[in-house]
Structure formats: structure tokens, C-alpha cells
Amino acid sequence: MNRAKTRVTVAGVILTVLLFIAALITIVPFIWMLLSSFAPNSEIVKVTGGLFPAPTTVDNYVAIQERFDFLRLFGNSLFIAIVKTVIIIYTSAVLGFVFAKMRFRGRNLLFGLVMSTMMVPWAVTIIPQYEMMTRFGWLDSYASLIVPGMLSAFGVFLFRQSITGIPDELIEAAKLDGASDFRIFHRIILPMSRNTIAALAIFTFLWNWEDYLWPFLMISDEKKQLLAVGLKQFNGQYGTDYGGLFAATSLAIVPVIIIYVIFQKQFIAGIASGSGK
Amino acid sequence: MSNATMSAQWEAAPEPEAIAESEHPKGRKPRRRNRGYAEVGARIFSFRNIAVVLLVAYFAVFLAYPIIKAFAGSLHDWNPLVGTYEWVGFDNFRQILTDRLFWDSMWHTAVFCTVATVFRVVLGLGFALLLSSRLVRFKDTLRGLFYMPTITPLVAVSFVWMWMFDPQFGMIDRVTGLDINWLHDPKWALPAIILMTIWKDFGYATVLYLAGIMNLPSDVYEAAAIDGANGVQTFFHITVPLLKSTTLFIVITSLISYLQAYVQMLVMTDGGPGTSTYTISYLIFDQAFQKYNFGVASAMSVVLFLFTGVLTIIMFKVSGDTEGLS
């Protein structure tokens, strides 16, 4: 009896250790990047010595700020990503509510149409949208980044899935109390969708934070440029300043990881509840 | 959805108000007392109607119109720099279908999609099974670590891997002892990009499979154990079939997103060396925004669009599960 128990425990410990090794291998690129961002160039390109350069200096961060005003790019990206995330969460929740709990002619057809847009490649719409923005005179303005991206079919899908699970009785009761749909949405539906909001928030923030092509096409003013595009430009101009590149890349990655670590629990619950089930 | 919700949505029926009144005798006034224009207005400008109308209008402007315009543009000689927009019929399609680079790109795309999707599914399922074992501890931490690459920005991660693959100071060669100039060798550039993509994306499949495994009915497993099924039999005859809808979801979303992948190539190789990492979406980017052949690029995007649509339909048909996504 005791022996069997010990064997199970040992197996568990071994399995856990193996999985931790795999997990460590998974995040090694991040560790390497972060350590390198605090190392001088000579240390990074050194062929001999350990795998990881020793972190000794913050010069790389100071340098990229002086040469490229990275904080400004960072701020611009933060602004755009937050604004779009808030808008998309709101529109997705409203439409998720409409598709989950309201009845109207053509509802399923419309929902199917919204879902099928997930299949439309960016390559199809980007040229006409580019032309449209040019004609609107929105080049170099943030309207061109925000307005065409205010809806997310993926978001509507996630919210419809989770709102369907909210009992009708709850909504009925609120109605009998004289609550309008507007009020029901804000007082009942939104507060009950916390996991979905967290999941969609992280994804939408990430997608806008990493979006390259659209800001690259829309924005040419350096002062308005976003981080992803700036990163590529920095690489083009200072391709051998590895320390600076590592620092710039760390600045682009670390904030997203911090947000993820904070919301991890709700986030994964939200993803799991919304997909494939 | 209950019938009560539907009717309450459709007609501002008098019954709910009457109930509301009787249930609140303490003088709390029911909302709508005066029937008439206000009422009609409230019904027309209801929450639902406003949302649906805005949705349709938005889709018409930012989606339907661009799609139609892309189809129209594919039939024109269209170059915004020179200002041309002239009808050429199917010339653009004829041109790309006889273009060697187009077929090379299609081939690279097929390899990229297949390998990346297969590894994503296999690694995702494998790690999910291990993580769902009762013996493993610190599950939340492990799951969080595996998921980390998935939530990091692709442009930045592509840079990190560009340096990982560096033959001079990159980690890959130093750890493995290999001497391969990954991204500058036509043989190795595409595999290197695929490797990076697998690393970035397997966590997504792991999390979805974990959710799927948690929802598996335990009585089926008990029955199998009673019947004397071993672990391998249980896995292939029970676990895999029961996870079919999760697998279908992962495969379809992966194929759709990998058909559209271009960032890795743009950052790490610019399609090179030569044209060895041109994929269909990178080719479209190249035609549209480096050569400004909008007509040709539109024709390619139409081909990609039809391809994606057909592939999705086939996936649903093959699996015989039309409800996989809903």
C-alpha cells in the first residue's frame, strides 16, 4: 500500500519536473531577450562564455529613448490599443447580447454573416480600405486606425456564447421591474460577463498592440507612429545595435506579459468557455 | 430562449406593465404610461434596432463594399501611383496562374500551414493530456508558462527569433552545436520560420484542449476501465473522438490564420533568401504595397479568399459536424 503510494508520488514529481523543464525551454527566448537588453553589445556578440549575457547596464534603454523617442511610440501604441479595446469590448457585448437574447427576423442569417467575416482574409479588404482612407483624407490621423476596426466578429462570438448562458429568468425579472434593455445590459449583462471581458480585452489589446501593416500604411508622421512599426524602422536603421534592439523589443513585449499575468485566471476561463463547445 | 422573452421583445405588450403596476403598489410609477408617439418611437429606436442597424451599416461600409471592390479591382489594371484603373477582364488571373512565383508561394504556404497546424494540434493535445493528469502539480503556473508565447506580439517575437537563429551569437546554434545559417539558407529559412510559429502557437491549442478534456464525461472512462481497455485504447477510441469538435475548431482557425501569415516573413526574411519564404499573403503584401500592382494583388486576394472558403467548407463536410463552431 505504502509502496504504491510512494510510486505514484514519485511519478507525479518526475512528470511535474519534466513539464517544468519544457515550460522553461518555452520561455527561454524571453529570458535571453531580457538579459541581453541590459548587456553591452560587446557582451551580446561574444562567442565564448555562457549562453546568457550578464546584465550590467541600462545604457541600451537610455540610447533608444534618445535616438528614437521610444516612449512616445510606446505611448501612442498604448493609447490606440486601449481605445480600440474598450470600443470593441462594448460593441461585442452589445451585439452578443442582441444575438443571444433577442429575437428578430433574419437573426441567424445575420449572425452567420458576422461569423463568416472571420474567414475573410485581410488581403481582400485591405486595398479597398486603404483607398477609402485616402479618399476620406484620414491618412496620418488616428481615425484611420480606430474607425475601421470598431467591430470584432470573434468578440461577438465570445459574448454570444457566454451571454446565452445567463438565465432568461433574470432578464425577465428585471423587465417586470420596468428595466429597459439599455439598463439590463449595463446592470446585469456586462457585470456578469467578467471572464469574457478579460479574455477579449487581452486578445484585442494584443492584436492592436502587434498590428503592423495597417499603421504602417496609414501613419507616416514619426510623432504619431506606433511601436510595432517603429521597431522595424529601428531595426532598419540600427541593425547592428543589438543591445538597443533587445531593449526596444523588451519594451514591446514585457507590458503585454504583465497584463497577461494579472488577468491570467479570468482570461483562460473566458477562452475556454467561448470556444469550440 | 423562452417564449416570454421573445414576445416581450417584439411587442411592448400591456401585460408586463399591468404586472409591474400590481407588484409595486407603493406608488412606483410604471415606465410607460402615455401610449402614442413616444411609445412608437421607443419601439422603433429600441436597443435592439439601433444595434442591428448600426451593425448592418458598418458592415456595408467597411466590409461588404471593400469585398465587392476587391473583386472588381481584380478585373482591372489598377495602379494608384500611376492613377490607372482600366478594365482588363481576367488578365490578372491569367497572369498570376502562369506566374512561377505565385505557385512557389502557394507551395510554401501549403507546407507552412500543414506542418504548423499538425504540430500545433499534436503538441497542444500532448501537453494538455499531461497537464490534465491528476499527478501533476502547479498546473496553473505551467499552463500560464506554456501560454505565454501566444499572448506576445508577433512582430517583437519575430525579432527575438531572428536573433535566436543568428549564426554568430544566436542561441539555437550555440545550444545545439549546429552550424546552420538558418534564415540565410534557402533550405532552412522556411523550416526556421515554421519552428518559431509552432513555438508561438502551441499554447493556444493546449488551453483549448485542456478545456475540452475537463468537459469529458467521466462515466465513459469508468465503463472503458471496467471493460478492460488499456490506456492506448482509451486514448484513441474515447478521448480523441470526444475531442473532435475542439480539434476541428483548432484546425480551422489555424488554417485560416496561417493562410494569412505574413509578419514572420516580413520581419525575419523579407520573403528571402531569394523567394524561398514567399507565402501567398506575403506575396500579396509585396504586390500591393511594394510594387503597387493593386489589380494583380486583388486577383491574388480573391484566389486566397475562395481557397479559404472552400477549405473551410471541406473541413466541415469531412468532419460531418456542422455545429463545431456554434
Side-chain angles (χ1 to χ4, degrees), chain A:
Chain A
M1 185 68 201
N2 246 342
R3 227 206 215 144
K5 216 173 172 184
T6 324
R7 253 168 60 195
V8 167
T9 321
V10 169
V13 169
I14 292 174
L15 197 57
T16 307
V17 168
L18 285 179
L19 279 170
F20 262 103
I21 292 172
L24 222 63
I25 294 173
T26 307
I27 61 164
V28 148
F30 296 130
I31 298 169
W32 185 60
M33 168 195 76
L34 208 57
L35 289 176
S36 302
S37 74
F38 292 104
N41 268 322
S42 56
E43 186 71 22
I44 295 172
V45 297
K46 205 170 71 181
V47 186
T48 54
L51 280 176
F52 298 97
T56 50
T57 168
V58 291
D59 284 357
N60 296 325
Y61 287 91
V62 178
I64 57 166
Q65 176 55 21
E66 278 169 0
R67 285 196 213 150
F68 235 69
D69 201 355
F70 248 80
L71 282 181
R72 185 174 189 113
L73 297 176
F74 189 88
N76 292 345
S77 277
L78 200 64
F79 173 74
I80 290 292
I82 289 176
V83 168
K84 285 184 80 175
T85 303
V86 170
I87 292 176
I88 284 177
I89 286 175
Y90 192 79
T91 56
S92 303
V94 167
L95 292 170
F97 177 41
V98 167
F99 282 121
K101 294 292 182 198
M102 294 181 180
R103 193 48 186 240
F104 54 94
R105 218 174 307 149
R107 181 182 76 163
N108 291 343
L109 180 75
L110 191 60
F111 183 70
L113 221 60
V114 173
M115 287 304 102
S116 66
T117 63
M118 280 203 265
M119 219 182 62
V120 180
W122 60 262
V124 173
T125 50
I126 199 162
I127 295 173
Q129 284 189 351
Y130 172 82
E131 219 209 0
M132 190 190 279
M133 293 300 119
T134 317
R135 228 178 314 136
F136 287 179
W138 284 1
L139 290 190
D140 255 339
S141 94
Y142 281 168
S144 67
L145 300 184
I146 295 170
V147 177
M150 295 198 301
L151 279 188
S152 155
F154 175 72
V156 176
F157 174 72
L158 278 187
F159 270 105
R160 196 194 78 137
Q161 295 293 92
S162 72
I163 293 173
T164 305
I166 295 177
D168 287 337
E169 293 74 34
L170 216 64
I171 297 171
E172 280 311 297
K175 260 195 191 104
L176 294 181
D177 282 348
S180 62
D181 288 335
F182 185 80
R183 202 179 156 79
I184 291 173
F185 173 73
H186 289 96
R187 290 297 166 84
I188 299 177
I189 304 292
L190 269 187
M192 288 184 75
S193 307
R194 233 171 285 141
N195 285 349
T196 312
I197 291 175
L200 189 60
I202 293 192
F203 263 129
T204 315
F205 184 87
L206 170 67
W207 286 335
N208 286 293
W209 183 260
E210 73 175 359
D211 191 16
Y212 174 82
L213 189 50
W214 192 242
F216 167 75
L217 295 175
M218 290 296 114
I219 307 291
S220 52
D221 185 344
E222 254 176 46
K223 289 206 156 65
K224 291 180 186 162
Q225 197 50 275
L226 304 190
L227 189 57
V229 183
L231 203 60
K232 179 118 168 76
Q233 286 171 349
F234 184 83
N235 183 61
Q237 284 179 35
Y238 304 98
T240 52
D241 176 13
Y242 293 109
L245 285 164
F246 277 110
T249 315
S250 300
L251 275 180
I253 292 180
V254 172
V256 196
I257 292 186
I258 291 174
I259 292 177
Y260 166 67
V261 170
I262 295 172
F263 290 107
Q264 213 205 114
K265 270 241 156 65
Q266 296 98 312
F267 173 56
I268 291 181
I271 291 302
S273 74
S275 53
K277 292 283 96 198

Side-chain angles (χ1 to χ4, degrees), chain B residues 20-38:
Chain B
E21 221 160 357
S22 67
E23 277 191 353
H24 298 283
K26 288 180 191 162
R28 203 166 127 193
K29 279 184 185 169
R31 282 236 153 162
R32 284 168 260 152
R33 180 129 275 176
N34 297 325
R35 296 269 155 71
Y37 291 122

